[in-house]
Structures are given as C-alpha cells and as structure tokens.
C-alpha cells in the first residue's frame, strides 16, 4: 500500500474505486487502524460513486510510531490527513472520521477548509469538558494500561466493547476475529496513549467549528456511553446549517447494522456538493 509523508511521519493508506470520482477519506478512531473501515463498507461507498481512501493515523497500524517523549496534537494529525490527500493527488474530499477520527476530521476542516468539500463527524465531540463525557465505567476501561500479549489484549478489548456497544448488536466472535486481524497486522501496545495525549493537549474546537461554512453531517448513537450524545448534538449546534442524524440503536459501535444509515446520509450530503451520486 502507498505511504504519504508529513515531515518525518509516514502515513499508510489504501484506496478503492476510481480516482475520477469524488473523494471520501476515512479517519479511524483512538488506537484503531484503517481496518476499522472494512472493505465491505468501503465498497458500499464506491458503489455510491465515491473514490474511497482509508488511512492509518500516526501511532496506529503501519503508520509511523512516535516515541513517548514526542508530543503532538490533533493539528498534526489533521496535517497527516492532508499529506495523504496530497500523495493520492486528491484536491478536496469529504472528510469523514469516527470518534477520535471525528475530532481529526473537524480539525482538518478548520485548518484546511479548501481541502474539505464536506465534513462528516461520527460519534465524536467538540473538546469541551461539559459535553460528550463517558460513563465512569467506559472511562476506566478506556484509560486502562495495555496488556502484555495480543491474546490478553483481545480479551480486554472484548470486555471493554461490551460496555459501549448495543448488546443487541454485539457479536463477540466477529469482534475477536477483527481484533486478531488488526493485531496480526500491527501490534503497538501503548501507542494509543500518545493519541490520547494529543486529544488532551488540543483543547476545544468551539471557535473553529463555529466558523465552518462547508456542508457538514454529524452522526451520533443514542446509546453511546463512551462519547455521550451531547457531544454530537453540540458539534451540530456549532456548525452552521449542519445536518444531525441520531441513530437511536447505535452506541459507540461502528458495526454493519449502522452502515446503511451512514452510507445513505453521507451520499445525500455529497449530492449537495458534488451533484447526485449514482
């Protein structure tokens, strides 16, 4: 797969579909790899007429790993996104992110509006301390130290996912398989903490979000215990003329049950910016 460079940082990415179609770049959440956007989901977007780019954030997957004494912020991670667009010869794109990826997408839109055809922020928040807060159980699991082995980490991740997933959508065997595939591709214990530090060092995005003028879609789950729905609602409130989609059955689980509604909403948003999709 190709790699883009943002200074010393190398960013792994992959593309699907025709470069002639409007671009959609997908940014993963905390500790997640580009595999969090499965091929089936990418293909669903391709079928709607998108050129899809999925990427590994720094300190995840096959992108560059930082040292513990290297500090960075969401601004730097947003610049990584633009480096991928540059390397893929994409002038502008729908910038889509889930969870921390939504934060990075927001910052990309703020810092690089000319590269952002539209913004899609999914199960994310604004950085304000009084919205989008997790339950205590979710926070304790999120901030737990990494395990010493892949097998132990998979078990810990499955246990954590039970806390922030819709129990009716929760599929532990599929989750274990997906986690194993990810950790076999890249096992970087502790790297997610550096991403967490980047979030904490970045402050809120109130002023920047309030100045955005491009089309925007904010999606949140009504059952989310990791980033409370107030985070999504506040994001939509700050962005002028944004669309807000609350998926009542969704928690902090970007699983196949949620994909159809997301694909439909993103396609509708893009129709207003690129024209009708096929």
């Amino acid at each position: 797969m190709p790699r883009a460079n943002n200074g010393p940082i190398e960013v792994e990415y992959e593309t699907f579909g025709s470069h002639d179609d409007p671009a959609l770049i997908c940014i993963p959440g905390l500790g997640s790899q580009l595999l969090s956007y499965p091929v089936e989901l990418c293909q669903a977007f391709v079928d709607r007429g998108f050129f899809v780019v999925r990427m590994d954030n720094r300190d995840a997957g096959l992108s560059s790993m930082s040292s513990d004494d290297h500090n960075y912020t969401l601004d730097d991670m947003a610049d990584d996104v633009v480096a991928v667009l540059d390397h893929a010869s994409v002038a502008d794109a729908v910038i889509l992110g889930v969870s921390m990826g939504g934060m990075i997408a927001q910052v990309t839109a703020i810092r690089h509006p000319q590269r952002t055809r539209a913004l899609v922020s999914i199960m994310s928040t604004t950085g304000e301390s009084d919205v989008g807060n997790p339950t205590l159980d979710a926070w304790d699991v999120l901030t737990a130290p990494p395990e010493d082995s892949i097998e132990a980490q998979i078990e810990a991740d499955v246990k954590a996912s039970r806390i922030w997933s819709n129990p009716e959508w929760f599929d532990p065997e599929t989750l274990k398989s997906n986690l194993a595939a990810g950790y076999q591709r890249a096992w970087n214990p502790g790297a997610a903490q550096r991403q967490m530090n980047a979030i904490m060092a970045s402050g809120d995005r109130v002023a920047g979000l309030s100045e955005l003028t491009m089309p925007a879609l904010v999606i949140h789950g009504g059952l989310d215990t990791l980033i409370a729905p107030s985070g999504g609602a506040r994001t939509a409130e700050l962005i002028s003329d944004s669309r807000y989609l609350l998926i009542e059955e969704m928690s902090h689980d970007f699983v196949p049950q949620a994909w159809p509604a997301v694909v439909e909403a993103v396609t509708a948003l893009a129709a207003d910016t690129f024209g009708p999709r096929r």
Side-chain angles (χ1 to χ4, degrees), residues 22 25 42 83 107 113 115 122 148 158 205-206 257-258 266 270 276:
I25 188 166
C42 294
V107 177
R115 308 300 296 274
I122 302 176
D148 294 329
V158 171
R205 294 171 289 284
V206 172
Q257 292 91 330
V266 173

Side-chain angles (χ1 to χ4, degrees), residues 41 44-45 48 169 245 247 254-267:
L41 176 59
F45 280 118
R48 293 304 187 96
W169 289 3
L245 172 62
I247 302 176
F254 196 51
V255 292
Q257 292 91 330
W259 297 350
V262 172
V263 171
E264 290 295 332
V266 173
T267 302

Side-chain angles (χ1 to χ4, degrees), residues 2-274:
R3 281 190 163 199
N5 289 89
N6 179 18
I9 299 297
E10 293 186 335
V11 185
E12 187 90 357
Y13 72 95
E14 185 176 12
T15 65
F16 301 84
S18 170
H19 193 280
D20 294 333
D21 286 332
L24 169 70
I25 188 166
C26 301
I27 310 169
L30 181 73
S32 297
Q33 304 182 34
L34 57 75
L35 298 179
S36 63
Y37 296 94
V39 171
E40 295 83 359
L41 176 59
C42 294
Q43 188 59 51
F45 280 118
V46 169
D47 291 344
R48 293 304 187 96
F50 290 101
F51 174 63
V52 178
V53 183
R54 62 177 186 175
M55 59 177 282
D56 286 329
N57 293 316
R58 63 173 71 192
D59 275 327
L62 301 180
S63 290
S64 293
M65 292 294 113
S66 303
S67 60
D68 286 338
D69 60 356
H70 175 67
N71 298 318
Y72 57 89
T73 68
L74 295 177
D75 285 4
D76 300 301
M77 301 181 82
D79 292 348
D80 293 343
V81 175
V82 173
V84 170
L85 295 180
D86 287 343
H87 194 268
S89 300
V90 172
D92 57 29
V94 177
I95 313 293
L96 181 152
V98 170
S99 195
M100 181 190 73
M103 303 174 195
I104 298 169
Q106 293 170 22
V107 177
T108 304
I110 293 166
R111 287 175 62 81
H112 305 281
Q114 74 281 5
R115 308 300 296 274
T116 307
R117 192 64 176 262
L119 167 65
V120 182
S121 178
I122 302 176
M123 60 180 78
S124 194
T125 189
T126 64
E128 297 168 276
S129 61
D130 58 345
V131 296
N133 291 317
T135 64
L136 291 178
D137 286 347
W139 177 254
D140 287 344
V141 172
L142 181 67
T143 57
E147 300 293 335
D148 294 329
S149 69
I150 289 176
E151 293 75 15
Q153 189 64 59
I154 289 173
E155 292 304 316
D157 288 348
V158 171
K159 182 178 179 180
S161 294
R162 290 185 185 277
I163 294 175
W164 53 66
S165 296
N166 177 343
E168 294 185 3
W169 289 3
F170 187 67
D171 181 353
E173 294 309 313
T174 298
L175 178 59
K176 287 180 182 180
S177 177
N178 292 341
L179 289 167
Y183 290 137
Q184 288 165 8
R185 179 174 181 262
W187 167 240
N188 302 302
Q193 181 58 54
R194 295 191 289 273
Q195 294 181 343
M196 177 67 79
N197 293 342
I199 294 172
M200 302 302 290
S202 296
D204 70 62
R205 294 171 289 284
V206 172
L209 291 172
S210 299
E211 294 176 357
L212 294 182
T213 58
M214 74 281 293
L217 169 66
V218 179
I219 302 175
H220 218 96
L223 303 178
D224 200 329
T225 59
L226 187 57
I227 297 181
S230 59
R234 175 61 171 161
T235 304
E237 176 186 346
L238 288 170
I239 303 174
S240 177
D241 297 325
S242 63
R243 306 177 187 184
Y244 183 51
L245 172 62
L246 183 69
I247 302 176
E248 295 287 356
E249 301 86 358
M250 186 171 75
S251 184
H252 208 80
D253 40 5
F254 196 51
V255 292
Q257 292 91 330
W259 297 350
V262 172
V263 171
E264 290 295 332
V266 173
T267 302
L269 178 76
D272 290 343
T273 60
F274 296 106

